[in-house]
């Protein structure tokens, strides 16, 4: 007799049980366009949904994780579900991308295995949300007039020595202006961080974003995350806007509020959670 075929379940996040299930939007679709529902166990609730074995069984998943377009689609759907749950369920602990279990019993095993870690993270992060602040150097001023083709002393009736000296003075002035711009941007970023840090329960500094990856022309001089009490979110955002108006040498970008992605530790993942880097699935 054939065994019943198990359904693969993608797990997005974990929140507390003991309250009504998160009132997710009726039109919310998760990874692979599937519905989103909940599995309750051990005082916890997992946000989960079915995914096709053709993409999320162990072997195809490992291959798919090398496909950046596919992975970006999964990430967008994953974060869409986490964001919706954060707005309706309060504190949620996002799991890593591509955390997949075998059917509902596998999800319950995952909750059982990670109960202590999930509970500790929920206790630590409850009532807080993440805000992101990026600081960019202000746009570069228009460049100086171009040097005539051929460089200093090129034909055109100018004195070679005089033209060369003028060229060197111009280049020296450009370097000084560039160095001053960078120093003002660094000073502005430091002031932003120092004024916002007292408003947050915790902070994380991320590596500045590469301009080629971000698509933003201005250099990124600060990329920070702030864990802010929910009730203080509006005042935090207002302070960021105030700083943006007071610091002409930099441009500020505020994002959030989000689930506290940046403030999760590796210990917040249960043993059965499947990291993106390793591929595979949770087989609890």
């Amino acid at each position: 007799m054939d065994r019943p075929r198990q359904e693969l379940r993608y797990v997005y996040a974990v929140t507390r049980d003991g309250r009504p299930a998160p009132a997710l939007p009726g039109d919310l679709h998760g990874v692979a366009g599937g519905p989103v529902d909940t599995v309750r166990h051990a005082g916890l609730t997992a946000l989960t949904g079915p995914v096709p074995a053709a993409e999320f069984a162990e072997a195809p998943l490992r291959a798919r994780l090398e496909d950046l377009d596919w992975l970006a689609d999964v990430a967008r759907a994953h974060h869409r579900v986490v964001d919706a749950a954060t707005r309706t369920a309060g504190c949620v602990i996002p799991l890593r991308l591509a955390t997949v279990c075998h059917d509902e019993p596998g999800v319950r095993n995952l909750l059982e295995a990670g109960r202590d870690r999930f509970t500790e993270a929920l206790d630590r992060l409850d009532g807080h949300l993440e805000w992101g602040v990026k600081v960019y150097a202000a746009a570069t001023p228009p460049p100086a007039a171009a040097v005539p083709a051929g460089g200093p002393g090129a034909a055109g009736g100018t004195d070679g020595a005089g033209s060369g000296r003028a060229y060197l003075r111009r280049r020296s002035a450009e370097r000084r202006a560039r160095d001053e711009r960078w120093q003002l941007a660094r000073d502005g970023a430091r002031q932003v961080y120092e004024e916002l840090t007292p408003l947050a329960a915790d902070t994380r500094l991320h590596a500045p974003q590469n301009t080629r990856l971000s698509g933003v022309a201005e250099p990124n001089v600060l990329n920070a995350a702030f864990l802010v009490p929910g009730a203080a979110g509006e005042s935090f955002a207002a302070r960021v806007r105030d700083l943006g108006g007071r610091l002409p040498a930099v441009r500020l970008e505020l994002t959030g509020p989000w689930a506290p992605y940046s403030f999760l530790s590796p210990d917040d993942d249960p043993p059965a959670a499947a990291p993106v880097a390793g591929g595979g699935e949770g087989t609890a």
Side-chain angles (χ1 to χ4, degrees):
M1 181 177 178
D2 293 337
R3 296 177 58 187
R5 185 175 181 180
Q6 288 185 316
E7 182 180 55
L8 295 183
R9 308 286 300 182
Y10 190 103
V11 188
Y12 301 92
V14 173
T15 186
R16 297 185 193 277
D17 201 355
R19 63 182 69 180
L24 299 173
D27 60 350
L28 179 65
H29 296 289
V31 172
V36 180
D37 52 31
T38 59
V39 174
R40 296 181 174 188
H41 180 75
L44 300 167
T45 296
L47 298 169
T48 179
V51 287
E55 295 182 59
F56 289 90
E58 185 170 2
L61 179 57
R62 287 185 184 278
R64 290 276 188 172
L65 291 176
E66 303 299 323
D67 182 341
L68 295 183
D69 290 336
W70 180 89
L71 194 58
D73 286 341
V74 170
R76 281 191 289 270
H78 181 106
H79 297 318
R80 184 167 61 245
V81 172
V82 172
D83 185 47
T86 299
R87 292 195 302 269
T88 60
C91 188
V92 301
I93 303 301
L95 296 192
R96 297 184 183 185
L97 293 181
T99 298
V100 182
C101 296
H102 286 300
D103 224 326
E104 289 192 13
V107 178
R108 293 190 185 95
N109 287 342
L110 182 145
L111 294 175
E112 181 67 35
R115 175 170 50 183
D116 291 343
R117 299 175 184 184
F118 287 138
T119 300
E120 186 280 328
L122 288 163
D123 289 343
R124 174 166 46 89
L125 300 171
D126 194 22
H128 295 76
L129 294 168
E130 176 174 331
W131 293 80
V133 177
K134 293 185 178 67
V135 178
Y136 298 92
T140 307
V147 178
T158 59
D159 175 73
S163 176
R165 285 192 293 272
Y167 170 78
L168 293 175
R169 284 196 297 270
R170 186 166 65 248
R171 290 300 300 271
S172 177
E174 290 171 353
R175 282 194 296 270
R176 287 196 302 273
R178 184 172 61 248
D179 291 345
E180 181 180 0
R181 172 175 173 253
W182 269 105
Q183 186 59 52
L184 288 171
R186 286 193 290 266
D187 290 345
R190 185 179 303 110
Q191 183 174 345
V192 168
Y193 187 74
E194 289 176 352
E195 289 201 28
L196 293 180
T197 294
L199 305 180
D202 202 355
T203 64
R204 292 287 185 274
L205 289 174
H206 300 303
Q209 287 189 322
N210 184 291
T211 55
R212 288 177 296 179
L213 297 178
S214 68
V216 178
E218 303 101 318
N220 180 209
V221 291
L222 178 69
N223 183 10
F226 297 85
L227 185 67
V228 179
E234 286 303 319
S235 60
F236 181 86
R239 180 66 67 86
V240 174
R241 291 190 292 268
D242 174 65
L243 285 165
R246 288 195 281 116
L247 300 173
V250 294
R251 180 176 68 82
L252 274 64
E253 179 182 287
L254 175 68
T255 59
W258 313 112
Y261 290 97
S262 298
F263 301 91
L264 299 173
S265 69
D267 288 342
D268 295 331
D269 277 325
V276 173
E281 61 196 56
T283 55

